[in-house]
Amino acid sequence: QVQLGESGGGLVLPGGSLRLSCAASGNIFSINAMGWYRQAPGKVRELIARIWADDSVDYKDSVQGRFTLSRDNARNTVYLQMNSLKPEDTAVYFCHVNVVVRGMDGNRDYWGQGTQVTVSS
């Protein structure tokens, strides 16, 4: 019903930058929220940044000021610009969307397959 296409992960030096992209496609009536989570080995998945339908954005405290989430409504795409990356930012990053699907009741959550971000010298 809904597919998420992620891109932009990779290996970067500490202090470097990466930009992640996530495009939602399928039978979408409306998007309530869209953003990124991450999961490091042995740790729980955590919210990094999320943008709501009213354009408000939530950030994890440790990425505030370094990461910026933006959205292209026409393309149902979000971009996570990550600057001043640190080794502790290393994780698999997952795109997430909460949507209303055409012809179905209620809100539904969908996840991308994940993209690896490694910050290392």
Side-chain angles (χ1 to χ4, degrees):
Q1 298 142 349
V2 176
Q3 298 80 38
L4 297 178
E6 302 164 332
S7 63
L11 172 65
V12 64
L13 294 171
S17 298
L18 284 174
R19 189 175 85 150
L20 305 182
S21 300
C22 176
S25 61
N27 205 17
I28 298 171
F29 177 75
S30 64
I31 295 177
N32 301 312
M34 193 168 180
W36 290 90
Y37 288 67
R38 71 186 181 192
Q39 187 167 17
K43 296 189 176 181
V44 299
R45 190 172 297 188
E46 59 183 3
L47 174 67
I48 298 303
R50 172 178 55 202
I51 187 165
W52 296 90
D54 65 0
D55 289 335
S56 61
V57 182
D58 302 323
Y59 289 102
K60 178 179 172 60
D61 285 348
S62 64
V63 307
Q64 184 83 43
R66 299 189 296 125
F67 292 9
T68 302
L69 186 66
S70 59
R71 177 175 61 194
D72 182 337
N73 288 329
R75 293 179 171 83
N76 285 341
T77 298
V78 291
Y79 304 96
L80 183 67
Q81 178 65 43
M82 304 186 294
N83 298 330
S84 303
L85 282 161
K86 304 175 181 180
E88 52 263 42
D89 294 317
T90 296
V92 179
Y93 284 66
F94 295 90
C95 182
H96 168 265
V97 66
N98 181 271
V99 301
V100 177
V101 178
R102 284 192 176 89
M104 302 181 74
D105 293 331
N107 301 330
R108 295 174 183 269
D109 293 300
Y110 294 89
W111 293 89
Q113 79 280 3
T115 185
Q116 178 70 45
V117 171
T118 302
V119 185
S120 175
S121 56

